[in-house]
Amino acid sequence: MIMYARRLKGISLSRIRKMFEVEGEDIINLGIGEPDFEIPEDSKKAIIDALEEGFTHYTPNKGIPELREAIAKKLKSDNNIKRDPDDIIVTVGASEALYMCAQALIDKKDEVLIPDPGFLSYNACVKLAEGKPIPIPLEGKNFRTNPETIESLIGKNTKAIILNSPSNPTGAVTEKDDIKAIAELAEEKNLIIISDEVYEKIIYEKKHYSPGQFTENAIIINGFSKTYAMTGLRIGYITAPREVIEELLKIHQYNTACAPSISQAAALSALKGPQRVVDHMVAEFRRRRNLMHKRLNNMGIECNKPGGAFYMFPYVGDEAKFTEKALEEGVVVVPGSAFGYNGKDHVRFSYATSYDKIKEAMDRIENITDVIPIG
């Protein structure tokens, strides 16, 4: 009999991926967080050029210098974070960056504060490193990340705090004062912040603030999947102070060696090219958000209007029944408890699909509200 590692106990396969794989001729899938846009035309050309030039071999472990230089410029101009290109590692998506952090920083019994509800990989990555995830209950209808709540959860074994703004699954955007207060708390308590900022550019009425603006005790994770619709190219990056980067590099080097060469070429082109493609995508996401929010509220489904990302996280009373009935109508959603205890009795809708499909999905959802206890 094969004996599996004990660290896999308590680790489940992603319920998001399970919903992603639901198929059917008439299914509308609102369960997956993947932009339904093409990558920028300049990036397509960059891939073709890279192939024709034979740029298909290993790159430096940290990534090609030109891309790391472009990322450093972006961090300075957009986030007021000054980092040398050598303080940046290009990764196989933000997912690898998160896994690298867990493996490099977390020891057995270390505690890591994670948002609840929050992206399910946070919990899994901490457990795979044999650490202990401690939920941060996000507060109120706006799902606020409250610095006072975080401070109350810090104990002698606390090692790190994971932040995510804009948030998956809630779409909440953390305010500047809260980000700054958490950064000050990290310095006072000598903790590291792991900040997942992959939805940074998908933001509406508010502004994104990074903890890296306010403290050196911050590791910043970002990527190209959401901003430039490059989900399948698996390309992201991580930046931290030099001594942290050198430890993260050990995990990256033995895990993947380097990010895909042609994906790096595409990412470089995206950063250096015109950003109107991003503006166009965000404008369309805003239009879809407004449609979904209006329709859900008209049905009597309690739902806050998200400030960023492309998710809505309404309260539906009985998430299991709602999910089941929605699927009977041909609409896939993700149960809120997949994102933590505080996600219970919510569901996650993604509006990263066409306006017309969202309109049809809302028509179908309207058919089930008379049999679901809402509120």
Side-chain angles (χ1 to χ4, degrees), residues 242-258:
R242 181 70 53 85
E243 63 271 20
V244 178
I245 281 291
E246 294 308 310
E247 298 304 309
L248 291 169
L249 183 60
K250 295 175 184 177
I251 307 298
H252 175 68
Q253 191 176 75
Y254 291 113
N255 185 35
T256 59
C258 64

Side-chain angles (χ1 to χ4, degrees), residues 200-276:
E200 169 197 15
K201 295 295 184 180
I202 304 173
I203 200 163
Y204 310 111
E205 294 78 19
K206 296 192 175 185
K207 184 178 178 181
H208 171 76
Y209 292 95
S210 171
Q213 296 175 244
F214 307 111
T215 178
E216 282 291 299
N217 286 20
I219 298 172
I220 309 304
I221 295 172
N222 211 323
F224 299 84
S225 290
K226 313 301 181 181
T227 302
Y228 299 103
M230 291 184 180
T231 51
L233 297 186
R234 308 312 303 131
I235 187 79
Y237 62 89
I238 189 167
T239 184
R242 181 70 53 85
E243 63 271 20
V244 178
I245 281 291
E246 294 308 310
E247 298 304 309
L248 291 169
L249 183 60
K250 295 175 184 177
I251 307 298
H252 175 68
Q253 191 176 75
Y254 291 113
N255 185 35
T256 59
C258 64
S261 58
I262 60 173
S263 297
Q264 292 188 56
L268 176 60
S269 177
L271 273 184
K272 295 181 74 174
Q275 300 303 297
R276 58 180 176 269

Side-chain angles (χ1 to χ4, degrees), residues 16 23-24 51 94-95 121 224 281 291 295 307:
I16 299 175
E23 295 181 354
L51 290 172
S95 296
S121 288
F224 299 84
M281 185 172 66
L291 168 67
R295 291 295 302 275

Side-chain angles (χ1 to χ4, degrees), residues 132-145:
K132 183 179 180 182
I134 303 295
I136 305 167
L138 304 186
E139 298 178 3
K141 293 181 180 180
N142 293 327
F143 299 101
R144 180 189 176 199
T145 305

Side-chain angles (χ1 to χ4, degrees), residues 25-301:
E25 190 174 321
D26 197 34
I27 291 288
I28 299 175
N29 198 326
L30 302 183
I32 195 69
E34 179 175 41
D36 61 325
F37 293 84
E38 296 288 328
I39 69 172
E41 289 299 320
D42 287 350
S43 293
K44 290 181 183 179
K45 185 177 184 302
I47 291 172
I48 293 168
D49 290 345
L51 290 172
E52 290 180 345
E53 293 166 8
F55 187 61
T56 55
H57 301 282
Y58 291 130
T59 73
N61 290 143
K62 288 184 179 180
I64 58 175
E66 298 90 341
L67 177 55
R68 288 185 284 120
E69 288 167 6
I71 291 169
K73 288 179 181 178
K74 180 265 173 202
L75 288 167
K76 185 177 180 181
S77 63
D78 292 2
N79 307 113
N80 197 26
I81 297 172
K82 295 179 182 178
R83 290 278 164 83
D84 188 272
D86 280 341
D87 301 333
I88 295 164
I89 301 174
V90 181
T91 60
V92 183
S95 296
E96 190 214 352
L98 180 63
Y99 182 78
M100 286 161 55
C101 287
Q103 293 299 311
L105 298 171
I106 301 167
D107 283 316
K108 197 169 185 177
K109 296 184 179 179
D110 281 346
E111 295 180 351
V112 180
L113 308 187
I114 65 171
D116 183 359
F119 184 45
L120 47 84
S121 288
Y122 305 148
N123 182 75
C125 283
V126 171
K127 286 183 175 178
L128 284 170
E130 299 188 273
K132 183 179 180 182
I134 303 295
I136 305 167
L138 304 186
E139 298 178 3
K141 293 181 180 180
N142 293 327
F143 299 101
R144 180 189 176 199
T145 305
N146 190 334
E148 293 179 1
T149 301
I150 289 177
E151 185 171 16
S152 72
L153 294 170
I154 295 172
K156 64 179 182 179
N157 294 323
T158 306
K159 185 72 172 287
I161 305 165
I162 295 179
L163 298 180
N164 176 217
S165 177
S167 161
N168 175 10
T170 70
V173 177
T174 307
E175 300 290 347
K176 179 181 180 181
D177 287 347
D178 287 341
I179 290 286
K180 190 173 182 181
I182 296 167
E184 290 170 353
L185 193 59
E187 292 205 340
E188 178 188 339
K189 304 291 186 180
N190 195 29
L191 303 174
I192 193 77
I193 295 172
I194 301 168
S195 184
D196 178 355
E197 303 182 15
V198 295
Y199 296 99
E200 169 197 15
K201 295 295 184 180
I202 304 173
I203 200 163
Y204 310 111
E205 294 78 19
K206 296 192 175 185
K207 184 178 178 181
H208 171 76
Y209 292 95
S210 171
Q213 296 175 244
F214 307 111
T215 178
E216 282 291 299
N217 286 20
I219 298 172
I220 309 304
I221 295 172
N222 211 323
F224 299 84
S225 290
K226 313 301 181 181
T227 302
Y228 299 103
M230 291 184 180
T231 51
L233 297 186
R234 308 312 303 131
I235 187 79
Y237 62 89
I238 189 167
T239 184
R242 181 70 53 85
E243 63 271 20
V244 178
I245 281 291
E246 294 308 310
E247 298 304 309
L248 291 169
L249 183 60
K250 295 175 184 177
I251 307 298
H252 175 68
Q253 191 176 75
Y254 291 113
N255 185 35
T256 59
C258 64
S261 58
I262 60 173
S263 297
Q264 292 188 56
L268 176 60
S269 177
L271 273 184
K272 295 181 74 174
Q275 300 303 297
R276 58 180 176 269
V277 292
V278 181
D279 298 336
H280 168 75
M281 185 172 66
V282 172
E284 178 58 19
F285 281 143
R286 182 186 286 109
R287 191 170 80 103
R288 297 173 186 180
R289 177 200 64 165
N290 292 344
L291 168 67
M292 183 179 284
H293 183 256
K294 181 179 179 180
R295 291 295 302 275
L296 290 174
N297 278 287
N298 286 346
M299 294 177 211
I301 298 177

